[in-house]
Amino acid sequence: ADHFAKLRIDLKRGARAKAVDVQKKTIALDDGSTLAYDRLLIATGSTPAKPPIPGIDSAGVLHCWTLKDAREIAQRAVKGARVLQMGAGFIGCIIMESLAARGVQLTVVEMGDRMVPRMMGPAAGNMIKAWCEKKGVRVFTGTKVTGIEAGSPLQVSLSNGEKHPYDLVINATGVRPNVAFLKDSGVKVNVGVVTDTRMQSSVD
C-alpha cells in the first residue's frame, strides 16, 4: 500500500485532467481540484477509434481494449463462431492470431490496400494477406464496413456490396490520443502532441 509513497509519488486516483494552464503551470482536474507543476509529462494514452458506421454500438460489436472486452470476446469467440474483425494493423494482427487459434470462422476487413498498411509496403502487406488466407482467414482489403444490423446474428454490410452474418464483430480500427484537455493550452496538437527530437512539446 505504501509503494508510491516510498517513491515520493503522490498518486491521485479517480480524476482526469480537464485543462492545462501553461502560464500559471497548473492542471485543472474534473473533480474540481488543481495541481501545480514545474515540469509536465503528458502520458495520457489513447482510446479506441469508433468509425461512423450505423450499428457500431450494437450488442456483439466490441473493442479489444479492456479486460472486460477481452473476457466478452473470449466468451463469444468459441470454436466455429463467425467473427468479423475490422482493421488489420499491427495490433489487429495480434488479435487476429488469437482468434484464429480459437478455431473461429474469421473474416478480416481492412480499408487499406494491404494488411498492416502503416508498417508494410505493398509486397510485404500482400504476402501477409496471402499467408493468412492459406491459414483459412478470409481477408478483404480496400474494403469498409458500411453498416451493422443488430440481432443474433449481426448482419454486416461491406463496401464491396456483400452482406454476411456474424456472431461477433471486433473493432480494431486504431486509436485516438487523449489530448482533448490540451485545447487552448498552447501545446501544439496535430492528432497527437507535436514534439521535437527530445520529446518536448511546443511549450518549454
Side-chain angles (χ1 to χ4, degrees):
D2 61 351
H3 172 75
F4 290 102
K6 284 180 178 177
L7 296 173
R8 294 184 300 136
I9 294 171
D10 182 12
L11 178 65
K12 188 173 178 70
R13 297 183 186 273
R16 293 175 184 267
K18 189 169 71 173
V20 175
D21 187 325
V22 298
Q23 304 302 322
K24 295 180 180 177
K25 290 193 170 183
T26 59
I27 303 162
L29 302 182
D30 63 0
D31 64 358
S33 63
T34 302
L35 299 174
Y37 68 86
D38 296 306
R39 292 189 179 186
L40 177 62
L41 173 63
I42 299 170
T44 47
S46 54
T47 50
K50 185 189 285 188
I53 299 169
I56 192 73
D57 293 318
S58 300
V61 181
L62 303 172
H63 296 287
C64 189
W65 192 249
T66 65
L67 185 58
K68 181 173 179 275
D69 293 334
R71 285 175 172 153
E72 190 169 350
I73 289 169
Q75 186 178 11
R76 291 174 178 266
V78 296
K79 187 172 183 178
R82 297 161 296 185
V83 180
L84 173 71
Q85 178 177 304
M86 295 187 291
F90 178 68
I91 300 300
C93 284
I94 294 171
I95 299 167
M96 180 186 68
E97 184 179 10
S98 299
L99 289 168
R102 295 181 70 86
V104 303
Q105 298 178 48
L106 182 59
T107 301
V108 176
V109 173
E110 167 58 51
M111 62 184 289
D113 63 353
R114 59 190 179 274
M115 294 186 72
V116 205
R118 292 186 180 179
M119 295 176 67
M120 299 293 174
N126 287 321
M127 284 173 68
I128 295 171
K129 177 182 176 180
W131 186 84
C132 290
E133 288 175 333
K134 283 181 182 175
K135 296 289 183 179
V137 179
R138 193 177 188 192
V139 180
F140 293 104
T141 51
T143 307
K144 297 179 182 178
V145 171
T146 57
I148 302 169
E149 294 176 24
S152 184
L154 297 154
Q155 298 292 333
V156 180
S157 299
L158 305 179
S159 59
N160 61 9
E162 296 187 23
K163 187 174 184 179
H164 301 280
Y166 292 99
D167 303 302
L168 169 65
V169 174
I170 297 174
N171 179 20
T173 55
V175 297
R176 298 187 191 283
N178 295 326
V179 292
F181 70 99
L182 293 172
K183 186 180 179 183
D184 301 324
S185 68
V187 175
K188 188 176 180 183
V189 173
N190 179 11
V191 182
V193 176
V194 178
T195 68
D196 63 16
T197 54
R198 301 172 73 92
M199 295 304 291
Q200 180 168 264
S201 77
S202 59
V203 176
D204 184 50

